Amino acid sequence: MILLILVAALLVLFYIHCIKTFKYWEQKNVYFEKPLPIFGNFLNVAIRQEQMGFALKNIYDKLDDTVPYFGVFIFHTPHLVIKSKEFIKQVLIRDFNYFPNRNQYTNEKVDPLAANVLFSLKNEVWKTSRNKLTPVFTSGKMKMMLPLMKEVTDQLEDILNANNGQEIDIRDLSQKYSVDIISSCAFGINAGSLKNPKAEIKKMSDQMLDEKGFKRSFAIFSWFFCPLLVDIFRIPFVEKESSQFLINVYKHSSEERKSRNVKRHDLIDLLNELKEEEVENDIFKFDDVRMSAQALTFFNAGANGTSTLLSLCLYEMAVNPEIQKTLRTEIVQNLDADGSLSYESLFGMEYLDLVMKEALRKYPFIHFLARYAEKDYIFEETGLKIEKGTKILIPMLAIHYDEKYYPNPNKFDPERFRGDKMKNLQYVYLSFGEGPRKCIGERFALMSMKLGLAMFLKNFEISPGTKTEIPLRFTKAATFITPEKGTIFLKIQKCNS
Ligand code: HEM
């Protein structure tokens, strides 16, 4: 009997704990939708029936333009979702010193690597490491990495030639291309996954990035929204076996590089140079864990983000043959005598840039940006005061599909970015984020995606085949954008055959 009373009392206490914050947005006079105990507004996300970005979009779409923000509860934690362009600018740029960090949980003991990537570092440690890592991504450094990427595109061309006239899984091919690019540029090795389907590094990458799998989705969800689960179940952000494999590869290459004293101008060289420049009282020193953590970021973001976007770009080319034709004409006009593309041509092609921007708009790899208030803050225009620690979300997916900024948003239309139209889209085109915490790898990502796309299109026509899904459906269970079937089949045909 006593046990029963105890359990009942615990349940009541748990219930009170779960609903105690639910008056938060009402008291602040901020629009919100009635939350459910335990799950808040995101029951469907928790049971993997909806992606967080779409859940936010559903609320966003109900509100008119006069509403600058709304409140949601993720479990029982209140989050402020910013809707107005002006307020986005304030949070990401103008008042950055109030919002310098993401509400990204870290736990050195459970996952020391995740705690040391730039994405999760905070305040002064983030600032110092960002300043140190920024020179790694300058156009000069990227230019030096281009020859490494070209070695991989040569192999890609061989594969395309061998599959001429066939229907192939472009997603799988893009993943292999991206894994080989990253392995060469960040780990200094020839992974060879394009030529060898059983390559160990590709296997590890699949394991690490298994977006549809419950384990991976649960890990990402817990790290972003329910850190208590991370602590209880000791869930690493990055799957242990594959991250350890990549760290070993990185360490081995790095040591070999030092002993042979050769330069490849890749991430290993650049991080080794940063280490040599360190001074006694640096707040952020590149020890083994921190060096590996940066290499792992490259791998994660590159193998997942760039490969997904490249395959979606190719899909759009197949279903929009006119756009494909215009792009091919531009690419062919810009080829060097040996059939390759210089860094200047890659970044100088206007239509290629418009196509890339539109793919990134239509398929935002991350559906929302996250920040939290480091100090109390008042939105002057409305008088809303938020306390230190308030979590902020910027619903990128909803904004990228807002008719006000992007008429007919489901249409793939590169022209919406032509000329000075981009000026009006500042703060509402957020594919790589905005402000000082913007994606540091943007240039690298664009270079590998543009090069991959150009190498496909210069010789091959891409079209829907019998196995192509139109429209393409995406899984509701993954955190990032992932095709429902896990594949994107397209037909490739040599242009002059
Ligand atoms: C298509 C590919 C990619 C997309 C769409 C993408 C997008 C993003 C977005 C939206 C953010 C958050 C920005 C914000 O909060 O304002 C971000 C942050 C970041 N990205 Fe990327 N990214 C891509 C590829 C890469 C690559 C290849 C790297 C490799 C180094 C990278 C490294 C990072 C890092 C380190 C951060 C955190 C920056 C900081 O907090 O200072 N990303 N990325």
Side-chain angles (χ1 to χ4, degrees):
M1 184 63 178
I2 294 177
L3 189 69
L4 214 64
I5 294 171
L6 209 65
V7 171
L10 278 175
L11 283 175
V12 170
L13 281 177
F14 181 62
Y15 179 76
I16 292 170
H17 170 73
C18 286
I19 62 160
K20 72 172 188 250
T21 53
F22 283 179
K23 288 254 172 259
Y24 189 80
W25 293 122
E26 191 180 346
Q27 282 160 356
K28 293 199 175 284
N29 207 16
V30 169
Y31 177 89
F32 71 104
E33 296 198 340
K34 202 169 178 304
L36 291 171
I38 303 180
F39 298 105
N41 298 106
F42 297 99
L43 170 65
N44 282 346
V45 179
I47 60 170
R48 293 158 51 94
Q49 289 304 308
E50 192 173 34
Q51 285 181 292
M52 177 68 83
F54 283 93
L56 293 173
K57 183 175 181 304
N58 286 343
I59 308 177
Y60 179 105
D61 287 346
K62 284 184 208 162
L63 302 172
D64 66 38
D65 293 348
T66 58
V67 182
Y69 39 63
F70 56 93
V72 293
F73 295 91
I74 298 182
F75 295 106
H76 56 274
T77 310
H79 285 62
L80 184 70
V81 187
I82 310 285
K83 201 170 163 281
S84 114
K85 188 170 166 177
E86 189 47 42
F87 286 29
I88 292 174
K89 178 179 162 191
Q90 286 177 31
V91 170
L92 295 181
I93 299 176
R94 199 193 77 183
D95 295 328
F96 175 76
N97 60 335
Y98 285 84
F99 308 100
N101 303 315
R102 292 192 182 86
N103 45 347
Q104 171 79 37
Y105 176 71
T106 53
N107 183 330
E108 280 267 6
K109 286 201 185 105
V110 176
D111 194 334
L113 289 172
N116 280 289
V117 295
L118 200 55
F119 201 86
S120 23
L121 293 176
K122 297 189 169 63
N123 300 319
E124 278 308 302
V125 181
W126 165 75
K127 205 169 159 189
T128 314
S129 54
R130 174 104 192 185
N131 284 343
K132 284 185 173 202
L133 286 166
T134 298
V136 170
F137 296 92
T138 59
S139 48
K141 298 279 164 50
M142 292 298 109
K143 220 184 227 182
M144 288 201 260
M145 281 192 199
L146 187 59
L148 301 178
M149 290 192 182
K150 282 186 181 166
E151 285 169 15
V152 178
T153 52
D154 288 348
Q155 295 178 25
L156 177 66
E157 277 194 82
D158 292 347
I159 302 286
L160 294 176
N161 282 322
N163 285 284
N164 185 22
Q166 317 252 335
E167 205 173 327
I168 53 169
D169 179 5
I170 293 285
R171 183 159 184 259
D172 180 59
L173 194 59
S174 302
Q175 278 173 344
K176 288 175 178 158
Y177 165 78
S178 301
V179 164
D180 286 1
I181 291 252
I182 305 287
S183 302
S184 176
C185 296
F187 291 83
I189 58 159
N190 173 7
S193 66
L194 270 169
K195 297 229 156 146
N196 171 15
K198 291 195 178 130
E200 189 69 2
I201 201 156
K202 172 71 171 57
K203 209 175 95 198
M204 290 299 157
S205 145
D206 291 347
Q207 201 166 308
M208 198 161 86
L209 307 173
D210 174 24
E211 264 295 297
K212 282 180 82 180
F214 174 75
K215 209 170 146 196
R216 174 86 184 130
S217 293
F218 184 67
I220 297 177
F221 185 83
S222 309
W223 274 78
F224 274 105
F225 301 114
C226 195
L228 188 64
L229 296 174
V230 173
D231 293 344
I232 295 174
F233 298 111
R234 300 188 68 77
I235 315 165
F237 185 73
V238 182
E239 200 272 327
K240 273 250 158 73
E241 189 195 352
S242 37
S243 65
Q244 195 51 54
F245 172 83
L246 290 171
I247 289 163
N248 291 344
V249 172
Y250 179 83
K251 274 191 190 156
H252 181 261
S253 292
S254 178
E255 277 154 21
E256 197 193 60
R257 191 72 55 81
K258 274 187 226 153
S259 68
R260 285 176 44 214
N261 201 19
V262 284
K263 289 255 180 240
R264 258 184 111 238
H265 306 293
D266 56 9
L267 185 75
I268 295 183
D269 283 347
L270 298 170
L271 288 180
N272 283 344
E273 278 164 27
L274 284 180
K275 183 142 189 61
E276 280 159 25
E277 286 160 15
E278 270 169 3
V279 289
E280 185 72 37
N281 52 354
D282 257 336
I283 333 186
F284 187 92
K285 287 196 173 159
F286 282 102
D287 56 18
D288 273 359
V289 170
R290 286 174 167 176
M291 303 255 264
S292 310
Q294 310 318 316
L296 213 62
T297 306
F298 240 80
F299 198 87
N300 248 324
N304 203 5
T306 54
S307 75
T308 304
L309 257 300
L310 175 59
S311 57
L312 290 168
C313 225
L314 288 161
Y315 172 82
E316 288 293 344
M317 295 303 98
V319 294
N320 293 287
E322 281 307 312
I323 296 177
Q324 182 183 157
K325 201 168 146 198
T326 312
L327 181 55
R328 178 174 302 104
T329 307
E330 185 185 55
I331 291 166
V332 170
Q333 281 167 356
N334 279 276
L335 290 174
D336 292 341
D338 66 351
S340 68
L341 283 161
S342 67
Y343 182 86
E344 287 71 20
S345 304
L346 265 185
F347 282 90
M349 283 188 261
E350 187 187 14
Y351 200 64
L352 177 60
D353 197 52
L354 300 182
V355 167
M356 212 77 244
K357 280 203 173 73
E358 177 63 344
L360 285 153
R361 189 251 348 143
K362 194 170 171 193
Y363 303 108
F365 181 65
I366 300 177
H367 283 172
F368 49 86
L369 305 179
R371 301 285 189 271
Y372 74 88
E374 200 57 52
K375 314 175 210 172
D376 290 357
Y377 181 78
I378 298 177
F379 287 96
E380 279 156 23
E381 293 80 349
T382 58
L384 173 70
K385 180 178 174 190
I386 54 171
E387 294 83 25
K388 176 179 172 171
T390 303
K391 296 178 171 173
I392 308 270
L393 295 175
I394 296 173
M396 192 199 305
L397 177 81
I399 293 168
H400 281 194
Y401 279 77
D402 187 334
E403 295 259 1
K404 181 164 79 247
Y405 307 121
Y406 300 102
N408 199 358
N410 289 312
K411 184 175 175 207
F412 188 84
D413 180 12
E415 295 302 323
R416 52 175 107 240
F417 294 104
R418 193 178 284 282
D420 59 4
K421 288 184 198 155
M422 193 62 203
K423 265 195 219 145
N424 294 331
L425 297 171
Q426 207 185 356
Y427 318 119
V428 288
Y429 175 74
L430 295 166
S431 299
F432 288 104
E434 227 351 316
R437 284 212 84 138
K438 195 175 183 198
C439 177
I440 200 170
E442 177 178 358
R443 203 177 270 133
F444 179 87
L446 286 175
M447 185 161 89
S448 65
M449 292 189 293
K450 285 182 173 183
L451 187 66
L453 185 58
M455 288 301 123
F456 260 91
L457 293 190
K458 74 169 186 174
N459 287 329
F460 287 87
E461 245 167 56
I462 300 161
S463 56
T466 51
K467 290 192 248 173
T468 311
E469 196 189 24
I470 304 176
L472 196 55
R473 286 172 308 132
F474 295 94
T475 173
K476 292 172 179 157
T479 310
F480 303 118
I481 193 160
T482 311
E484 173 77 47
K485 289 186 175 169
T487 53
I488 302 179
F489 274 93
L490 297 174
K491 189 173 174 203
I492 57 163
Q493 185 74 47
K494 209 151 190 174
C495 292
N496 53 4
S497 62

